[in-house]
Amino acid sequence: MHAPDPAHSHAWKPTPLAVLGGAPAFAEPLHVGRPNVPDRAKLLQRIEGALDRRWFTNDGPLVQEFEAALVRQLQVKHVVAMCNGTTALEIAIRALELKGEVIVPSFTFVATAHALQWQEITPVFADIEPATHLIDPAQVERLITPRTTGIIGVHTWGRPCDVAALAEIADRRGLTLLFDAAHAMGCTHRGVPIGRFGAAEVFSFHATKCVHSFEGGAVATNDDVLAEKLRLMRNFGFAGYDRVVYLGINGKLSEIHAAMGLTSLEDLPRVVAHNRRNFELYRQGLAGLPGLRLLDYDDAAAESRNYQYVVVECDPAASPLGRDELAAVLTAENVRARRYFYPGCHRMEPYRSLLPDALKRLPVTEEIVAKVLLLPTGPTLGETEILSVCGILHRAAAESVAVRGALPPPDGASPTSRIL
Ligand code: T4K
């Protein structure tokens, strides 16, 4: 059976586009990051077990089981589960004794930068490569100063950084290499699971991630000494009932969270298969849209991917409508497309005030934050919804003059800054 052609199949929406006065295409919002619900019976059984045991936190059996399952999934020696990805980053940064300056991309969720600044370490923002949205190793090298102690690469959208180039720079310049792998559960680089690179890699199990524990995170490492330090630091530094050996914090994951984490991890193959189908539908459905580039994958490369994010770039020179105009069209239809990571960490506080010069060396970041739009995916969406979203975009392009006329003029605040 041929998939319907979204450019010509608008039977789904006989009314005008919602920005032109029609009814929204969807009664309920379609989200980027709708949480996945794994096997309910299994989840509830695990929660019942925790209630029966009356063991709710402090390295309980479900946390240990979750960590063991992650060790197998990531093929790494140690995984230390934490209460969220941001705390996991903070604890990893502290355990690795980073200080002074650490080089990070500005094009990331603000938590990557905050985890440093929270500990009075200066995030030095590096630019990204335009084709991949990943940190540019050549610029990393140029940003190293005597105060630099580390590099944090972010596997944005689950796409691996140039691990070899970053590792070579880190080794040669005596720096620690850490990865923010918040997006990268289930992804590989040259056949090796992300989770095994650098001194450590940090995952997020926030509700919006493909593997989640409502809230949660973890640090993966092959380093025995570091793993032990991470375990102590997430539990106030306690090495025994009365013995505190490090400055620590409460970074523990609870049993209820681990119950969801375990059940969600078991569900990963189903989620990835669904995301992949959705991605292929978007690939077909977005084809032929002028000025819209889907950040695609090379299907010939033998890599695992989670297809968690559907990322498009809207080229203002070639698209009849700008990125924010398209976002406004979609929002009116109840499609909550998102502008991650607009406007870039360097334009957010406190970095905007503390590091005003960063702007000058981030031309690609500046360009990408103005172009990127994330489209909804995940198991709650199927062919009908995806082809409808693509159909809306085709129709908006075809009716761009009317659409532009219907949207409020850009006035410094973009149309979507009120809506998104
Ligand atoms: N590093 C990177 C590269 C990251 O992307 C993140 C987190 C971190 C570090 C830090 O990890 P954590 O400390 O968060 O574990 C969301 C997530 O909150 C955040 O975890 C994630 N990155 C980021 C990319 O996305 P927001 O501010 O966009 O969240 P929010 O509330 O707008 O939710 C996203 C969408 O999901 C909404 O359209 C609504 C929908 N949603 C959300 C929740 C929580 C639901 O339908 N149900 C829900 O329960 O940050």
Side-chain angles (χ1 to χ4, degrees):
M1 197 184 93
H2 292 290
D5 175 359
H8 303 288
S9 69
H10 299 139
W12 56 272
K13 193 168 191 292
T15 58
L17 287 168
V19 284
L20 299 178
F26 299 98
E28 294 292 327
L30 302 191
H31 290 288
V32 173
R34 195 74 168 153
N36 301 321
V37 179
D39 185 334
R40 280 174 197 243
K42 199 76 199 280
L43 172 64
L44 295 174
Q45 189 191 5
R46 286 187 162 123
I47 293 174
E48 292 278 1
L51 296 176
D52 291 345
R53 280 189 297 276
R54 290 180 190 264
W55 195 279
F56 297 155
T57 184
N58 290 12
D59 207 17
L62 288 174
V63 166
Q64 291 180 22
E65 198 184 332
F66 185 34
E67 288 179 342
L70 289 165
V71 161
R72 287 193 298 277
Q73 167 77 30
L74 302 174
Q75 295 168 32
V76 71
K77 265 176 105 175
H78 307 277
V79 173
V80 183
M82 309 253 182
C83 54
N84 58 60
T86 308
T87 304
L89 271 170
E90 286 170 5
I91 293 179
I93 287 164
R94 194 174 275 266
L96 288 165
E97 298 177 14
L98 300 184
K99 48 188 182 299
E101 295 176 357
V102 171
I103 301 169
V104 285
S106 171
F107 190 69
T108 179
F109 192 60
V110 73
T112 321
H114 279 356
L116 292 163
Q117 188 68 38
W118 193 255
Q119 311 190 63
E120 298 186 1
I121 300 166
T122 304
V124 175
F125 294 124
D127 213 354
I128 50 172
E129 295 185 328
T132 60
H133 301 179
L134 299 166
I135 193 166
D136 174 1
Q139 205 190 55
V140 168
E141 176 105 51
R142 291 198 292 275
L143 292 173
I144 296 170
T145 73
R147 278 171 48 77
T148 310
T149 56
I151 303 165
I152 302 182
V154 181
H155 302 302
T156 311
W157 319 134
R159 291 161 193 268
C161 294
D162 188 342
V163 171
L166 293 174
E168 191 279 322
I169 294 168
D171 284 352
R172 184 163 40 78
R173 306 294 294 263
L175 303 175
T176 299
L177 179 59
L178 176 66
F179 287 104
D180 178 337
H183 300 181
M185 181 54 66
C187 303
T188 58
H189 174 51
R190 301 196 174 149
V192 177
I194 289 181
R196 292 183 47 172
F197 299 106
E201 303 218 46
V202 177
F203 290 88
S204 164
F205 304 128
H206 183 259
T208 53
K209 299 291 187 278
C210 58
V211 169
H212 76 91
S213 56
F214 302 117
E215 287 275 4
V219 186
T221 182
N222 282 317
D223 181 332
D224 301 345
V225 175
L226 178 65
E228 186 52 23
K229 203 166 168 185
L230 292 165
R231 286 187 188 287
L232 291 165
M233 282 186 165
R234 81 164 168 191
N235 186 28
F236 315 101
F238 274 110
Y241 270 139
D242 308 312
R243 206 161 67 89
V244 172
V245 294
Y246 283 118
L247 173 63
I249 194 170
N250 184 351
K252 291 168 287 159
L253 190 74
S254 85
E255 288 291 276
I256 302 293
H257 291 89
M260 177 53 111
L262 266 168
T263 317
S264 174
L265 184 59
E266 287 162 2
D267 196 34
L268 181 64
R270 179 190 73 92
V271 170
V272 171
H274 196 110
N275 282 349
R276 182 175 187 159
R277 268 197 308 281
N278 284 354
F279 191 88
E280 283 159 3
L281 287 163
Y282 270 122
R283 196 186 257 160
Q284 292 167 34
L286 296 173
L289 270 167
L292 219 63
R293 174 177 94 96
L294 174 69
L295 215 63
D296 212 337
Y297 296 98
D298 175 5
D299 282 342
E303 299 285 4
S304 300
R305 298 154 182 139
N306 59 28
Y307 298 92
Q308 183 179 193
Y309 295 104
V310 176
V311 184
V312 295
E313 277 181 18
C314 176
D315 176 357
S319 169
L321 292 169
R323 185 272 310 268
D324 289 351
E325 289 169 320
L326 289 178
V329 167
L330 290 170
T331 301
E333 304 286 356
N334 241 339
V335 179
R336 304 281 166 87
R338 294 291 297 262
R339 300 186 293 183
Y340 291 138
F341 294 108
Y342 181 85
C345 294
H346 65 290
R347 283 185 179 269
M348 295 177 175
E349 294 295 356
Y351 314 108
R352 187 189 175 94
S353 301
L354 290 175
L355 309 165
D357 290 346
L359 184 64
K360 293 181 204 144
R361 58 165 188 271
L362 301 170
V364 181
T365 302
E366 286 277 301
E367 185 195 326
I368 296 297
V369 295
K371 282 182 168 179
V372 160
L373 196 61
L374 271 76
L375 300 176
T377 187
T380 57
L381 276 77
E383 178 168 335
T384 312
E385 289 81 13
I386 304 242
L387 292 182
S388 293
V389 172
C390 297
I392 292 165
L393 291 169
H394 278 277
R395 207 156 144 185
E399 299 172 30
S400 60
V401 175
V403 166
R404 183 160 284 163
L407 290 172
D411 56 359
S414 73
T416 49
S417 60
R418 288 172 296 101
I419 298 167
L420 292 179

